[in-house]
Amino acid sequence: MTGRTSPFMLLAIVAGFIIWSSAFTLLYAALSFGCSLGWQSVDVGPVSLNRLALILVWAGHLAALGLLLQWCLKTRRDNVSRGQPARFMTTAALASTSCALFATLWTGLPITVVSTCM
Amino acid sequence: MKTISPPRSPVRLHKELDAVWSTPGGWGALSAVNHTVLGRRFIVAAFVFFAIGGVLAMLIRAQLASPHSAFLGPDHYNQIFTMHGTVMMFLFAIPMFEGLAIYLLPKLLGARDLAFPRLGAYGFWCYVFGGSILLVALAVGVAPDSGWFMYTPLSSRAYTPGINADVWLIGITFVEISAISAAVEIVVTILKMRAPGMSLDKMPLLAWYLLVTGMMMLVGFPPLILGSILLEVERAFDWPFFDPARGGDPLLWQHLFWLFGHPEVYIIFLPAAGVISTILPVLARHPIIGYSWIVVSIIALGFLSFGLWVHHMFTVGIPHLAQAFFSAASMLVAIPTGVQVFSWLATLTSGRPQLKVPMFYLLGFFFVFVAGGLTGVMLAVVPFDWQAHDTHFVVAHLHYVLVGGFVFPMMAAAHYWLPHFTGRMPVYRLSVTAFWLIFVGFNATFLLMHLTGLRGMPRRVHTYAPDLGWDWLNLLSSIGGFVMTMGFALFVIDIALQLRFGRPAPRNPWQADTLEWAMPTPSPNYNFAALPDVASRSPVADDPDLAARLASGEGYLGFVRNGWRETLGIHMVTGKPDQIILLPGPTFLPLWSALATGVFFVSLLMKAYVLALIGAGLSVVLLVSWTRGAGLRKDHGPLPVGRGEAVPPHQEASGPPSWWATVFTLVANGTLFSSLLFGSLYLWLVAPGWPPARLLDIGPGLPLAGGFGLVLAALAGRRSLVEKAAAGITRASLWLIATAGGHILALACLVRLVQMVPDPTGHAYAATTAAILVYAGLHAALGILFAGYGWYRSLSGYVSVRRNLDLRIGRLWHDYTAVAGMVALIMVYGLPKVIGS
């Protein structure tokens, strides 16, 4: 049994969207915390503390997704010559992670422009 | 032990298998656990509820057909529209797809039954009993009347003092047991019980859809169950979770409800989309285009659908940025849906489509669902939502999505698989007339309703003035509604005629390539006389003689051994056989267990709490008694399964279905606990009236002692497994006793902490703190039960080094309890410090 056909690969297919879920939840939670604690009134350089916290959460998840995508690419390359189901699993993981990266980018984009606590 | 019978004639093999797998007749039919029987029962019951919901819809349309109508008073109208939504969402849509999945999955996957036949039966009875509570309430005039989403404070005790809201909360929670049971069964069956060789890349798309749907149910339903419990506790005991005067917040209910409610839309849609992905390629005579992309889209939909719930709450005063997150996710979800729609269209245009009856409904689906999807994108835009919120525009949108995305595909499914159910072909012309009546009637009802809504007519009003420009629109909608009803009536007549006069169906009437057609129709109790070896996504097309070969016992498990109900378990990715799964036979235990559970729920409704405790205790005793006689008292090692292969019984395998079922149940359980923590933090941050006057004032000693007990239980539970392998039963039993001891210590600390919490009726802080502690305490109490059960099974000879499943399941529980309990203790100890500072 190779590693690319282990049940772990099922997890790899959904890992990207688990990170998206984490990003989404933490962004919503951080916004609520920040607004509750008045972070929007505390400036850190050109942005408020609230916006900075959100950007950090967002960027952290994007970085994690970037690393995962890199791993998926490598795994896919290593498994091109293998038969099914390894090829299917690695392709699905790669596609799913790419979609999750786009989803995280898109849903977090309003952080850069929209007012935080109004 | 008997030896394996040599190969016999197909008829003799059929008789042998039928003797093992059949369901008794007469009253014994109530003991059925077979998936074919249960699937049919689910579908018939769901259709009965659909008819009831339809009658309620007709009453609504009769009332709204003209202004100032005196047909229904506001009290009755409130009950009727609430029950219409409740019946259609909880008692029709979900159970209907569950029924289809229960009937179809083993046949589609090449198995003989589902993973947990008795759980399926228990779920069915819970569904029927829970639904009956709601119907009885409707009949006696005390049905829920606060809308199908039961918003607080309207549904709180102050504004709904009768039992109407309690009926909803208790009845629906009862039905949800059925949904969670079905979800566990569906997920485990798909992952572990496919035909040998059916690796994930060869799995039928419907199974992918149902797998994701099942996982969504495990995560999506617990927030609603939690919300229902909290609201019922507030109504019964005055714990103010949703009362803003005492630190609660009505919006917490909306969050918990829509955390379930929006994924629910996709939970309903995805199985229907799976039906489309199954039927459309067959009728288009072309393999599905974009299999892998559809799989990725299903997964994406499964996740993204959880990021939409606040778009039901755009008008409640949430910060713009939060609205932007949910608006962005709401638009994003259209992409994976679009991928599927384009895959279907590409398949359709690449093939040679046949305009058979199911195809009419598929074409109807495309028109109706795409229109509903487009108005969904409109509502995802915040400024538009502000205008259209709570108007009939939203009613029209949700009916386009749900009827288009579920009813039309299910009608296609009915016509496609009815020959499988009945062994007869449909009566063609009547079906087409029924379709046109439904299609035209539906659009006449709801297309116009968009305009009614844009003209400002709000939802849930029992009448309106004549000079608002809504009269003719409502009248035409009502006429359309009755035309649609005629179509459904004709559908029922059509089925009756098919049953009576339909010509016998050939074995594979649609020339489909999936395994459910590789068996006689109606199907035998055991599905397959031998299990197939799958080498592609089109096993039937690859081997037109497959059905005959399987019937003659050529394949896996083409024999009867020891009178066991055997099917194969596989490696969840590759499809390689790794265990023989031994399934239980007919028993009344699920029925008795559901009745005991019913006693619990009805007693709660009647505020007879002593009786409720008796019902709960009886339920636990009966559920535990399911395991009596289950398992093996000796090691068997690998047993031959045919084709020269041998695998062990599931009790001796590393990843048996019950182990995975426990994992997935704990996932659902963890979601419920996370929702409770979310509720607690949400109230602290958002609700008015914080900080509370009194906080839990404790030192670290009690939480530390409780935490020690939980960790001890988890470590001792793990140790018992090691000892079982190394030193035998005595030392393992000692470790199990230590496990129980750890739980007892934790339980004692948690009970003491609950006693120290300030009055839970005084403030939502105290109520949520007590709820968190009760949750942890309940788990510790059940941990004692798990440890005791493992000990009993060890002493009874059901546990050995190989057969240690009971202990491994117990270990999962002890581990989960330790983690959840520690989080609970940290929360109740730490939150007052944070609030205080």
Side-chain angles (χ1 to χ4, degrees):
Chain A
M1 193 68 51
T2 69
R4 301 302 165 252
T5 54
S6 75
F8 169 76
M9 276 310 290
L10 259 177
L11 196 60
I13 291 178
V14 295
F17 275 104
I18 290 174
I19 295 174
W20 172 83
S21 305
S22 165
F24 199 81
T25 309
L26 289 180
L27 283 175
Y28 188 39
L31 177 65
S32 300
F33 267 102
C35 292
S36 174
L37 301 176
W39 289 356
Q40 73 276 16
S41 311
V42 181
D43 287 335
V44 182
V47 294
S48 68
L49 179 60
N50 204 358
R51 200 180 297 277
L52 179 67
L54 293 171
I55 288 171
L56 287 176
V57 170
W58 186 38
H61 283 86
L62 287 173
L65 278 163
L67 291 173
L68 181 64
L69 189 65
Q70 202 176 15
W71 180 84
C72 287
L73 278 166
K74 182 180 177 309
T75 310
R76 167 88 180 118
R77 259 198 315 272
D78 295 346
N79 283 273
V80 168
S81 56
R82 286 178 195 268
Q84 299 289 20
R87 205 167 57 192
F88 170 80
M89 300 297 286
T90 51
T91 304
L94 178 62
S96 174
T97 305
S98 305
C99 294
L101 179 59
F102 174 73
T104 308
L105 198 63
W106 172 255
T107 45
L109 215 50
I111 295 169
T112 56
V113 286
V114 179
S115 55
T116 52
C117 298
M118 278 180 67
Chain B
M1 191 209 316
K2 277 197 240 168
T3 53
I4 299 166
S5 313
R8 295 183 169 89
S9 74
V11 175
R12 194 157 174 194
L13 181 58
H14 163 74
K15 285 181 178 170
E16 285 185 9
L17 284 164
D18 198 54
V20 172
W21 289 85
S22 64
T23 300
W27 287 106
L30 298 177
S31 68
V33 295
N34 180 277
H35 80 100
T36 302
V37 177
L38 290 174
R40 283 185 188 141
R41 285 182 187 172
F42 257 103
I43 290 170
V44 170
F47 197 82
V48 169
F49 281 114
F50 177 66
I52 293 167
V55 170
L56 296 173
M58 291 304 93
L59 293 175
I60 293 170
R61 285 317 321 166
Q63 169 67 16
L64 295 180
S66 58
H68 286 324
S69 171
F71 178 60
L72 293 170
D75 291 344
H76 283 115
Y77 186 79
N78 290 346
Q79 291 187 33
I80 285 169
F81 79 71
T82 300
M83 281 296 288
H84 168 68
T86 302
V87 167
M88 288 304 198
M89 296 298 277
F90 294 102
L91 303 180
F92 160 62
I94 297 286
M96 178 59 87
F97 105 71
E98 285 169 7
L100 188 71
I102 288 170
Y103 176 85
L104 212 52
L105 257 182
K107 301 176 190 347
L108 195 69
L109 298 175
R112 284 184 172 148
D113 208 326
L114 291 164
F116 307 105
R118 293 179 299 190
L119 190 65
Y122 176 67
F124 172 74
W125 293 118
C126 286
Y127 159 52
V128 170
F129 296 156
S132 301
I133 291 175
L134 286 152
L135 292 189
V136 169
L138 181 67
V140 299
V142 291
D145 56 359
S146 313
W148 80 275
F149 28 63
M150 297 297 291
Y151 277 176
T152 54
L154 181 60
S155 58
S156 300
R157 174 69 72 198
Y159 301 98
T160 306
I163 65 166
N164 308 57
D166 303 310
V167 168
W168 192 96
L169 296 166
I170 288 169
I172 292 302
T173 303
F174 196 2
V175 173
E176 301 302 85
I177 294 174
S178 163
I180 296 286
S181 309
V184 169
E185 184 148 56
I186 287 169
V187 169
V188 175
T189 300
I190 293 171
L191 289 177
K192 287 302 295 180
M193 294 178 68
R194 306 188 303 270
M198 189 185 278
S199 51
L200 284 176
D201 57 303
K202 299 187 188 78
M203 195 163 77
L205 275 173
L206 180 55
W208 273 107
Y209 278 99
L210 290 172
L211 176 62
V212 172
T213 305
M215 289 303 300
M216 287 176 69
M217 288 167 78
L218 292 175
V219 180
F221 279 61
L224 175 67
I225 294 173
L226 173 76
S228 300
I229 293 170
L230 297 186
L231 183 51
E232 185 54 30
V233 169
E234 176 178 293
R235 289 177 55 83
F237 305 115
D238 199 28
W239 290 23
F241 299 105
F242 308 106
D243 178 3
R246 290 177 286 167
D249 193 338
L251 290 184
L252 175 60
W253 169 264
Q254 292 198 28
H255 277 293
L256 292 175
F257 183 87
W258 289 117
L259 254 167
F260 145 82
H262 202 87
E264 155 91 341
V265 175
Y266 291 87
I267 287 169
I268 290 171
F269 168 64
L270 283 177
V275 163
I276 297 165
S277 293
T278 306
I279 298 176
L280 189 138
V282 174
L283 295 183
R285 289 180 282 193
H286 192 283
I288 191 84
I289 289 178
Y291 177 97
S292 302
W293 278 106
I294 290 179
V295 171
V296 174
S297 297
I298 303 166
I299 292 166
L301 263 182
F303 278 92
L304 292 174
S305 66
F306 281 90
L308 316 183
W309 86 88
V310 166
H311 80 209
H312 295 269
M313 301 166 62
F314 278 159
T315 58
V316 302
I318 284 170
H320 289 177
L321 183 53
Q323 291 186 14
F325 292 151
F326 289 93
S327 180
S330 301
M331 290 182 216
L332 196 62
V333 82
I335 295 176
T337 313
V339 168
Q340 290 167 77
V341 170
F342 283 113
S343 289
W344 295 328
L345 290 175
T347 306
L348 209 53
T349 52
S350 304
R352 292 173 293 119
Q354 311 165 84
L355 198 58
K356 301 278 177 71
V357 179
M359 184 61 95
F360 278 94
Y361 283 100
L362 292 186
L363 295 175
F365 152 82
F366 277 112
F367 177 82
V368 174
F369 182 74
V370 170
L374 290 175
T375 53
V377 176
M378 289 166 73
L379 286 167
V381 179
V382 177
F384 181 84
D385 184 80
W386 287 344
Q387 295 300 314
H389 185 79
D390 226 5
T391 69
H392 270 73
F393 185 92
V394 177
V395 180
H397 157 71
L398 74 91
H399 280 86
Y400 262 79
V401 171
L402 292 173
V403 176
F406 186 73
V407 177
F408 275 83
M410 282 297 148
M411 297 294 279
H415 286 287
Y416 181 78
W417 277 298
L418 260 173
H420 201 285
F421 281 74
T422 63
R424 292 178 182 276
M425 293 302 286
V427 182
Y428 180 69
R429 284 293 157 198
L430 212 53
S431 317
V432 175
T433 309
F435 164 77
W436 283 113
L437 284 172
I438 292 169
F439 183 76
V440 172
F442 172 83
N443 284 291
T445 309
F446 293 105
L447 191 64
L448 296 172
M449 200 179 281
H450 289 99
L451 195 55
T452 321
L454 289 176
R455 288 186 171 199
M457 182 169 173
R459 306 168 69 175
R460 299 182 290 270
V461 289
H462 81 288
T463 192
Y464 52 91
D467 52 353
L468 297 168
W470 305 340
D471 315 22
W472 65 276
L473 289 167
N474 272 302
L475 180 62
L476 288 176
S477 280
S478 295
I479 291 169
F482 281 92
V483 170
M484 180 168 48
T485 306
M486 285 179 219
F488 282 114
L490 206 56
F491 168 74
V492 175
I493 293 169
D494 182 36
I495 291 176
L497 290 175
Q498 178 179 343
L499 285 168
R500 181 70 183 81
F501 300 112
R503 62 189 165 82
R507 177 168 274 177
N508 186 359
W510 310 106
Q511 299 304 305
D513 53 10
T514 38
L515 284 172
E516 79 273 25
W517 298 106
M519 64 178 68
T521 55
S523 63
N525 292 308
Y526 51 84
N527 287 342
F528 302 96
L531 304 184
D533 183 20
V534 173
S536 79
R537 288 176 195 158
S538 310
V540 177
D542 289 351
D543 180 2
D545 296 329
L546 181 64
R549 290 199 298 103
L550 296 178
S552 66
E554 200 179 318
Y556 290 95
L557 294 178
F559 48 79
V560 173
R561 171 172 30 212
N562 301 332
W564 286 347
R565 290 186 168 208
E566 292 181 317
T567 192
L568 275 180
I570 53 146
H571 181 277
M572 59 173 67
V573 175
T574 62
K576 185 176 163 46
D578 63 6
Q579 57 194 286
I580 300 167
I581 296 170
L582 306 179
L583 297 173
T587 166
F588 285 98
L589 275 173
L591 174 58
W592 299 134
S593 305
L595 278 170
T597 313
V599 168
F600 169 69
F601 281 109
V602 174
S603 305
L604 284 182
L605 189 61
M606 298 299 153
K607 313 283 185 253
Y609 296 116
V610 175
L611 192 58
L613 278 177
I614 293 171
L618 202 57
S619 300
V620 171
V621 169
L622 282 165
L623 290 169
V624 171
S625 73
W626 289 19
T627 60
R628 274 189 66 195
L632 300 171
R633 285 184 189 268
K634 65 172 188 175
D635 294 341
H636 286 78
L639 297 169
V641 293
R643 304 177 75 95
E645 294 183 46
V647 292
H650 74 266
Q651 290 89 347
E652 299 174 22
S654 62
S658 42
W659 189 87
W660 282 106
T662 310
V663 170
F664 292 121
T665 306
L666 289 175
V667 168
N669 190 357
T671 309
L672 186 138
F673 184 51
S674 305
S675 303
L676 180 57
L677 297 177
F678 160 78
S680 180
L681 293 172
Y682 175 84
L683 291 178
W684 166 46
L685 290 173
V686 176
W690 285 66
R694 284 191 61 208
L695 294 165
L696 181 61
D697 186 18
I698 52 169
L702 212 48
L704 280 175
F708 172 74
L710 292 167
V711 173
L712 171 67
L715 292 177
R718 288 171 165 269
R719 191 69 200 169
S720 69
L721 270 166
V722 177
E723 291 295 347
K724 177 56 70 184
I729 198 157
T730 310
R731 283 177 62 180
S733 297
L734 287 175
W735 282 110
L736 285 170
I737 291 168
T739 306
H743 283 305
I744 290 168
L745 173 61
L747 183 60
C749 295
L750 289 162
V751 168
R752 180 69 194 120
L753 283 169
V754 171
Q755 291 169 341
M756 296 168 75
V757 173
D759 177 13
T761 63
H763 195 276
Y765 158 74
T768 51
T769 302
I772 290 169
L773 289 169
V774 168
Y775 175 90
L778 187 64
H779 280 69
L782 287 172
I784 299 168
L785 199 66
F786 269 99
Y789 177 72
W791 184 61
Y792 160 75
R793 294 283 284 186
S794 298
L795 293 180
S796 308
Y798 287 106
V799 177
S800 71
V801 174
R802 274 185 180 165
R803 288 173 287 114
N804 58 8
L805 176 59
D806 295 306
L807 301 187
R808 279 189 287 148
I809 288 176
R811 189 179 77 179
L812 285 173
W813 185 267
H814 305 313
D815 287 353
Y816 174 82
T817 301
V819 173
M822 294 293 280
V823 171
L825 288 168
I826 291 168
M827 183 84 174
V828 296
Y829 177 72
L831 191 60
K833 313 289 180 224
V834 177
I835 295 173
S837 66

